Amino acid sequence: AQSVAQPEDQVNVAEGNPLTVKCTYSVSGNPYLFWYVQYPNRGLQFLLKYITGDNLVKGSYGFEAEFNKSQTSFHLKKPSALVSDSALYFCAVRDPYNTDKLIFGTGTRLQVFP
Amino acid sequence: IAGITQAPTSQILAAGRRMTLRCTQDMRHNAMYWYRQDLGLGLRLIHYSNTAGTTGKGEVPDGYSVSRANTDDFPLTLASAVPSQTSVYFCASSESGVMNTEAFFGQGTRLTVV
């Protein structure tokens, strides 16, 4: 079965420090990967996606993600964290056997401390 | 503003009662989804629809039904609510059959079954 895993329930980082939120995937064929962010009492907002090509994908709010095929990972990164980045982050993958299915990880709560 | 509208935003429901969560989108997306979000479990797909007139079961379909009479609307019905259906429900939409497109989410419906 197609799946994504987010091994960390929570990530804590000081403001100004780099942050990484981890995601690994298990997909048959080429993966189509996404990152979403959820602020309190809000729906999910799209951050960035990997389709093909450059392994470093740039997205909204200064976030980027690095696709690593050998490690089946798609970690979300930001060079300098902001307190306002504190939110719940979800990794997702399209199911290649049903392109209209989007499969989500369990989410990682990012807490950025001043 | 274009997007997805869910109603109600929150509801307290007595067990055994019937409830329909409404979802409307104005982006003319063919694919629509219903997810439930529970602490520690992330987002789990309940039902989805590739296009008007068709629906499919997701990961946790039991106790829920959907219909897709037209492109814009995708209501979710709980025929006889149970406390385990207490959750936050998100409706989403995306272009159908396109692997590299992201999904757009509504603001969610917080449902409490007592």
Side-chain angles (χ1 to χ4, degrees):
Chain A
Q2 327 304 322
S3 65
V4 290
Q6 294 181 243
E8 303 157 316
D9 291 336
Q10 180 154 332
V11 170
N12 299 318
V13 64
E15 188 174 32
N17 283 1
L19 69 88
T20 298
V21 182
K22 296 179 180 177
C23 172
T24 58
Y25 65 89
S26 175
V27 174
S28 303
N30 294 324
Y32 292 80
L33 297 156
F34 303 81
W35 274 103
Y36 287 81
V37 59
Q38 185 182 29
Y39 297 103
N41 300 313
R42 303 291 299 275
L44 276 71
Q45 297 177 31
F46 169 74
L47 273 180
L48 51 79
K49 62 186 176 184
Y50 172 80
I51 307 303
T52 186
D54 195 347
N55 289 342
L56 186 63
V57 178
K58 294 189 181 300
S60 305
Y61 311 121
F63 282 93
E64 56 191 27
E66 186 173 9
F67 173 72
N68 187 316
K69 187 173 183 178
S70 63
Q71 297 184 6
T72 62
S73 66
F74 188 55
H75 300 334
L76 181 70
K77 300 183 178 185
K78 188 173 183 180
S80 179
L82 300 172
V83 173
S84 58
D85 292 330
S86 298
L88 191 55
Y89 291 82
F90 289 96
C91 182
V93 66
R94 283 280 184 191
D95 184 341
Y97 297 106
N98 185 331
T99 58
D100 293 329
K101 277 189 178 180
L102 194 59
I103 300 165
F104 283 85
T106 52
T108 298
R109 184 165 301 280
L110 173 67
Q111 188 70 49
V112 181
F113 295 95
Chain B
I1 298 176
I4 296 181
T5 302
Q6 291 185 236
T9 54
S10 66
Q11 181 76 45
I12 299 174
L13 185 68
R17 296 294 297 270
R18 180 184 178 91
M19 172 80 186
T20 295
L21 309 184
R22 300 185 298 278
C23 175
T24 299
Q25 54 105 357
D26 60 4
M27 296 175 282
R28 307 303 295 172
H29 286 160
N30 281 323
M32 295 189 75
Y33 317 81
W34 274 105
Y35 289 90
R36 59 178 288 173
Q37 183 179 19
D38 302 288
L39 189 63
L41 299 175
L43 276 80
R44 293 181 292 169
L45 183 64
I46 305 171
H47 285 286
Y48 66 98
S49 170
N50 295 335
T51 189
T54 68
T55 62
K57 293 182 179 181
E59 184 183 358
V60 288
D62 294 343
Y64 306 95
S65 63
V66 292
S67 61
R68 189 84 185 278
N70 56 61
T71 297
D72 298 343
D73 302 302
F74 190 44
L76 175 74
T77 297
L78 289 67
S80 180
V82 295
S84 62
Q85 293 178 309
T86 294
S87 185
V88 181
Y89 292 85
F90 288 100
C91 180
S93 73
S94 69
E95 294 183 38
S96 179
V98 182
M99 290 288 282
N100 64 357
T101 184
E102 61 270 26
F104 295 83
F105 283 79
Q107 296 288 70
T109 295
R110 184 175 296 275
L111 180 67
T112 303
V113 182
V114 297

